[in-house]
Amino acid sequence: MRTLVILTLLAVLVMAATCYESHESMESHEYLNPFLNRRRANDFIQADTRLRAITQERIRERSKASHEHQRELCEDYYPCEMYAFRHGYAAAYKHYFGRRRTK
């Protein structure tokens, strides 16, 4: 019986030590209102990073790879596009536009 009382007291002490809320946790604004205001929802994102991402995307659009230009050129010319469906865009471009000679 005596060990049961000691174990119960020990369990109460452990529970009180681990479940105690300090004054510091009560100071947090998230404790009272965990949701952000609509106006402040995106304040943590810097405007510079968004603009930088947009400009990098525009640069990537302007500087396409050569095979993308070849594919677009082939898609604009109907016989080349039909040839590409059977043999692939690389072969179609080579067949229709690869033999060009400059004079």
Side-chain angles (χ1 to χ4, degrees), residues 1 6 17-18 23 25 30 39 53 55 61 71 81 99:
M1 182 75 174
I6 293 173
T18 57
H23 179 61
S25 64
E30 296 172 357
R39 294 180 182 172
T55 55
E61 287 177 0
R71 182 179 178 132
E81 188 176 14
R99 294 181 296 200

Side-chain angles (χ1 to χ4, degrees), residues 50-68:
R50 287 183 290 196
L51 291 175
R52 192 179 317 130
I54 290 170
T55 55
Q56 286 178 354
E57 182 180 347
R58 297 294 179 253
I59 290 170
R60 275 188 242 117
E61 287 177 0
R62 277 188 261 147
S63 59
K64 292 182 180 178
S66 63
H67 61 82
E68 289 183 43

Side-chain angles (χ1 to χ4, degrees), residues 3 5 8 10 14 30 33 43 46 48-49 54 59 66 74 76 79 87 89 93 96 98 103:
T3 57
V5 171
T8 305
L10 185 61
V14 168
E30 296 172 357
N33 189 8
D43 284 348
Q46 300 294 326
D48 296 336
T49 57
I54 290 170
I59 290 170
S66 63
C74 190
D76 290 339
H87 304 286
Y89 280 101
Y93 181 82
Y96 284 98
K103 291 183 179 181

